[in-house]
Amino acid sequence: MQISLNTSHTISPSFNPNTRIQMETATLLILCLLVAALFLFKHNASSPLWNIQGPKSSSFILGHLRELLQRPAGLAEFEWQRTYGDVVRIRTSFGSEQLVVSDPKALQHILCSGYKWRRSPVRREMGRLTSGKGLGWADGETHMRHRKLMTPGFRATETQKFLPIFIACAEAMSSEWKKIISKSGDQSCVFDLTDHLSHATLDAIGLAAFDYDFGSISNHENELAKAYEGLTAKAFRAPSNMGLIMLDLFRLIPSAVMEFMNDHNPRLETLHHVAHVGKGVAKQLIAQKVDEIEQGTPNTDIYTSLVQSNLSESFKSRLSDEELVAQMSCRTLLFGGHETTTNSICWAAYELARNTELQDQLRTEIKSTERKIADRGEFEFTLNDYEEMPLLNAICKETLRFHPIALHLFRTANEDDVIPLSKPIVGKTGQLITEIPVSKGTRIVGSCSAYNRNLTIFGEDAHEFNPNRWLEGRVKTENNLGFPYANLATFAAGARSCIGWRFAVAELQTFIVVLLRNFAIRDTPKLTRIRRESALTMVPAIEGELDKGTQLPIRVYLGDS
């Protein structure tokens, strides 16, 4: 049978329906782009932000999107901050504009004003693609409801309960390394830390968050583990020029249309596969958790806590089945507790491998603490032990400052507002600007990288990796800006601050301790070509080998040699 169209052509039964969907999607996208371009051209004829300084754009179509999202992470923002100050006006597609903000008071106002500044529609859609309609996607009252239910699982007392899991997973990875190194001639081996740490942190989040054993360290064939392997690098590494335009203009497309287009985009197959596999596992886990709760034998993992909280809430306040399933794969749990933590540990190892003196000092502190633990008749570290290790804490803080995994905080004004500044900036007219009136719909990019290099807060050497700034008390922390950890923007602030920041810090501390009490790490020739790549988060990659995804090759020796 043939299907008649409004032309003389026919489509045979062998016509691939996916091809038709792709053609229709492409046509719709082109039309949307044309309409958006016309809208923006008229809309930007005059701008209320005209007096804010910023770099000139070499492209009307792309604006500064290439500099912001295709260059090594943070470089453009550092240059703009140095030249124009802590608030910079840049262009996006078709002459549209937004502010790049690293001013401390401005960021505090934007991030800690409840939901006056909303997450941008495109970033919400990225949250949906990586997590479903979970915490990473939710906004406003929906976000408040999600966060209320999830908060109990991330308190300090809960983090202490999970510490033995972190230690066990780090030691399991170490055991695998020792087996491999023992077979080498010089008792050393080069490991790609992005690969090995990815498996170890996945096992840790699986056990702590879900009481689910991926077994990823010793068995790389687990379907969900394989699906999440290098997810951000595969799905979000530096987009093409057309990809940049689409990302920017998607904000003008109704969310239902945007979701349809992305759900049928073959280039997002990696994310579609992760969602499919994750949903299947999540549904099994929910049934298991509910059964355990009903039998009076609930576990202590985060997902059980979430299911319990959900069951105890009024029907109106509960998460729907779709929302509950989505929490398993949202960045707070699998995405947030896996890839982001992996990359933070990688950057810490990168700095330690290049500084053997610092590494030796930290190993001495670890051994000293181990003796104190033994003297009190115990065998393993606690969170209090970590807190009493000044150098360990300084290295963790400096790693999260210098290599912030969350690069950008995209926000859109939900109402007219006035943004205060901690210090004036010079406008195009030469006048000093102490506050910036903005209208509803104004877009900003909060630059975690640039804020974390603020010279006033972190010192004149803010562009250097130097843990001593924390030991010497040179970081200004007297002004509480609402950031949850060490006055850093790394975990954001306010209603959308990272709910699992304690979890992340404890896991970072644990893997550093276990790594250095078992091994000595050294740099390799390829470390001189490491590039801080923007892939939704900041990941390590090797210049000239970006097509291979994330890499961090480090030589590992047994003992402390």
Side-chain angles (χ1 to χ4, degrees):
M1 184 183 78
Q2 294 180 327
I3 303 173
S4 297
L5 301 177
N6 294 328
T7 70
S8 59
H9 297 287
T10 58
I11 297 179
S12 69
S14 62
F15 181 81
N16 187 343
N18 289 331
T19 302
R20 182 171 62 192
I21 290 173
Q22 291 171 26
M23 290 170 61
E24 292 172 348
T25 301
T27 302
L28 180 61
L29 176 61
I30 291 170
L31 289 172
C32 289
L33 290 178
L34 290 173
V35 172
L38 180 62
F39 170 81
L40 288 175
F41 181 76
K42 293 181 177 180
H43 181 70
N44 290 305
S46 61
S47 166
L49 304 177
W50 66 271
N51 198 27
I52 307 296
Q53 294 200 69
K56 290 184 178 180
S57 169
S58 60
S59 169
F60 172 72
I61 294 176
L62 284 165
H64 296 97
L65 292 174
R66 284 179 296 192
E67 291 93 323
L68 186 67
L69 299 174
Q70 288 182 346
R71 292 183 65 188
L75 285 190
E77 291 114 291
F78 299 149
E79 293 172 5
W80 297 337
Q81 183 186 45
R82 187 163 48 247
T83 306
Y84 305 106
D86 290 333
V87 180
V88 182
R89 178 187 179 218
I90 66 168
R91 295 289 182 180
T92 59
S93 62
F94 298 100
S96 186
E97 63 186 4
Q98 62 185 10
L99 298 178
V100 177
V101 179
S102 57
D103 180 273
K105 195 172 182 179
L107 280 177
Q108 179 192 34
H109 176 81
I110 291 166
L111 298 176
C112 298
S113 297
Y115 297 98
K116 285 174 62 176
W117 287 80
R118 298 292 180 94
R119 200 159 178 237
S120 72
V122 174
R123 295 293 150 169
R124 285 192 70 200
E125 175 61 4
M126 286 185 176
R128 187 189 72 86
L129 288 170
T130 57
S131 70
K133 294 189 174 181
L135 190 66
W137 163 86
D139 205 358
E141 290 184 5
T142 302
H143 180 268
M144 195 183 305
R145 178 167 53 87
H146 283 221
R147 192 172 177 102
K148 176 186 175 184
L149 287 166
M150 296 189 70
T151 296
F154 291 94
R155 294 178 179 135
T157 52
E158 302 304 313
T159 304
Q160 177 60 58
K161 292 178 185 177
F162 301 135
L163 199 58
I165 293 175
F166 300 158
I167 294 171
C169 290
E171 288 290 358
M173 183 188 74
S174 298
S175 296
E176 291 295 315
W177 284 9
K178 288 175 182 177
K179 292 176 186 176
I180 297 170
I181 293 173
S182 65
K183 299 175 184 176
S184 67
D186 63 351
Q187 294 295 287
S188 76
C189 187
V190 174
F191 293 105
D192 176 7
L193 262 62
T194 61
D195 177 45
H196 289 265
L197 284 169
S198 176
H199 292 292
T201 57
L202 186 61
D203 281 356
I205 189 66
L207 291 167
F210 314 114
D211 190 32
Y212 180 85
D213 187 4
F214 287 102
S216 181
I217 294 172
S218 56
N219 174 20
H220 293 192
E221 298 305 311
N222 180 283
E223 187 178 13
L224 189 57
K226 287 175 70 175
Y228 267 90
E229 228 171 72
L231 176 62
T232 53
K234 291 175 186 174
F236 296 110
R237 67 183 178 188
S240 64
N241 288 347
M242 180 55 71
L244 289 173
I245 296 171
M246 289 171 61
L247 275 174
D248 194 50
L249 296 186
F250 263 150
R251 63 192 163 85
L252 303 176
I253 299 173
S255 58
V257 177
M258 190 180 350
E259 289 180 14
F260 174 83
M261 292 169 67
N262 285 328
D263 287 344
H264 295 87
N265 185 347
R267 297 187 65 180
L268 299 177
E269 180 56 36
T270 298
L271 293 174
H272 299 158
H273 177 63
V274 169
H276 174 73
V277 176
K279 282 181 182 178
V281 175
K283 288 178 179 178
Q284 294 175 26
L285 284 171
I286 291 172
Q288 176 188 324
K289 303 303 179 189
V290 170
D291 186 55
E292 290 171 350
I293 292 168
E294 289 177 346
Q295 292 182 22
T297 58
N299 210 304
T300 58
D301 59 275
I302 294 172
Y303 211 46
T304 295
S305 174
L306 174 59
V307 174
Q308 283 180 307
S309 296
N310 200 47
L311 290 173
S312 65
E313 286 291 319
S314 66
F315 184 80
K316 185 179 179 180
S317 301
R318 289 183 183 181
L319 301 181
S320 67
D321 288 345
E322 180 187 8
E323 291 170 333
L324 197 57
V325 167
Q327 302 308 341
M328 177 176 175
S329 55
C330 78
R331 76 178 82 188
T332 307
L333 298 180
L334 269 185
F335 187 70
H338 169 222
E339 290 231 357
T340 53
T341 306
T342 296
N343 291 322
S344 291
I345 301 168
C346 281
W347 288 118
Y350 167 75
E351 295 293 351
L352 288 167
R354 300 194 308 154
N355 189 334
T356 56
E357 182 179 352
L358 179 64
Q359 187 182 148
D360 290 341
Q361 291 172 355
L362 179 54
R363 190 176 290 106
T364 299
E365 184 178 76
I366 291 169
K367 289 180 177 179
S368 174
T369 305
E370 285 181 322
R371 288 192 292 271
K372 293 177 183 177
I373 294 170
D375 288 344
R376 67 174 186 248
E378 297 180 4
F379 301 97
E380 207 46 91
F381 286 78
T382 65
L383 289 181
N384 286 336
D385 292 321
Y386 291 159
E387 287 303 310
E388 294 174 4
M389 299 173 69
L391 185 55
L392 173 66
N393 281 286
I395 290 171
C396 289
K397 290 174 182 177
E398 189 69 354
T399 297
L400 293 169
R401 182 193 75 84
F402 200 74
H403 302 287
I405 301 305
L407 288 166
H408 302 124
L409 303 169
F410 293 85
R411 298 290 187 269
T412 302
N414 198 43
E415 57 188 70
D416 293 351
D417 197 10
V418 178
I419 303 175
L421 302 179
S422 58
K423 65 178 181 179
I425 57 173
V426 180
K428 285 184 176 182
T429 60
Q431 73 178 95
L432 290 180
I433 299 172
T434 58
E435 59 182 21
I436 303 173
V438 296
S439 56
K440 180 179 180 178
T442 298
R443 296 182 299 149
I444 70 100
V445 181
S447 174
C448 297
S449 298
Y451 167 83
N452 283 357
R453 305 285 184 95
N454 185 292
L455 302 184
T456 302
I457 296 175
F458 300 104
E460 292 298 320
D461 62 345
H463 287 277
E464 300 174 15
F465 184 89
N466 182 9
N468 285 331
R469 78 180 73 253
W470 302 95
L471 299 174
E472 296 165 359
R474 292 194 284 114
V475 177
K476 291 188 178 180
T477 57
E478 62 271 16
N479 294 325
N480 183 9
L481 298 174
F483 297 119
Y485 181 70
N487 210 18
L488 299 174
T490 308
F491 296 113
R496 298 202 71 99
S497 63
C498 175
I499 196 171
W501 70 268
R502 292 186 184 87
F503 195 104
V505 172
E507 197 169 1
L508 174 61
Q509 292 169 326
T510 297
F511 272 81
I512 291 174
V513 166
V514 172
L515 186 63
L516 292 194
R517 74 179 180 187
N518 285 288
F519 308 103
I521 57 177
R522 299 290 184 265
D523 62 359
T524 58
K526 284 191 174 183
L527 284 198
T528 60
R529 294 193 286 123
I530 285 294
R531 168 178 164 135
R532 290 152 43 106
E533 187 72 4
S534 175
L536 193 60
T537 59
M538 187 176 72
V539 300
I542 295 176
E543 191 72 50
E545 299 182 19
L546 300 182
D547 58 318
K548 296 181 180 179
T550 57
Q551 293 186 78
L552 188 67
I554 285 181
R555 183 165 291 279
V556 179
Y557 290 86
L558 282 175
D560 54 7
S561 57

